């Protein structure tokens, strides 16, 4: 991922559902409007802010994120 580029997080199984986006290493959850800052990228892991960073929410490989616990796959699409 490149800094300053916004990446939309798209669920492969349900691409119409808005999940959130990454910007400058931070994850903004789209569950509420406007999206709120919910996690940070540390290395290749997305870590939850609400747990103080101790909970890994997913692993990022290139432009793909795999959610821990359920194995859901998300594509990270650069915004134009």
């Amino acid at each position: 991922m490149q800094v300053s580029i916004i990446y939309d997080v798209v669920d492969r199984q349900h691409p119409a559902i808005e999940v959130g986006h990454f910007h400058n290493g931070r994850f903004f959850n789209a569950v509420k409007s406007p999206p709120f800052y919910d996690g940070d990228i540390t290395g290749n892991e997305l870590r939850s802010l609400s747990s103080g960073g101790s909970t890994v929410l997913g692993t990022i490989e290139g432009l793909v994120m795999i959610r821990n616990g359920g194995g859901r796959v998300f594509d990270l699409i650069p915004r134009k």
Side-chain angles (χ1 to χ4, degrees), residues 41-46 58-61:
I41 298 173
T42 304
N44 69 334
E45 297 176 330
L46 173 61
T59 304
I60 299 168
E61 297 176 9

Side-chain angles (χ1 to χ4, degrees), residues 27-29 32 36-42 46-57 67:
F27 176 68
F28 294 85
N29 193 327
K32 297 189 178 194
F36 64 98
Y37 175 36
D38 197 28
D40 283 316
I41 298 173
T42 304
L46 173 61
R47 295 184 169 270
S48 171
L49 281 181
S50 63
S51 70
S54 64
T55 301
V56 176
L57 300 174
R67 174 102 166 125

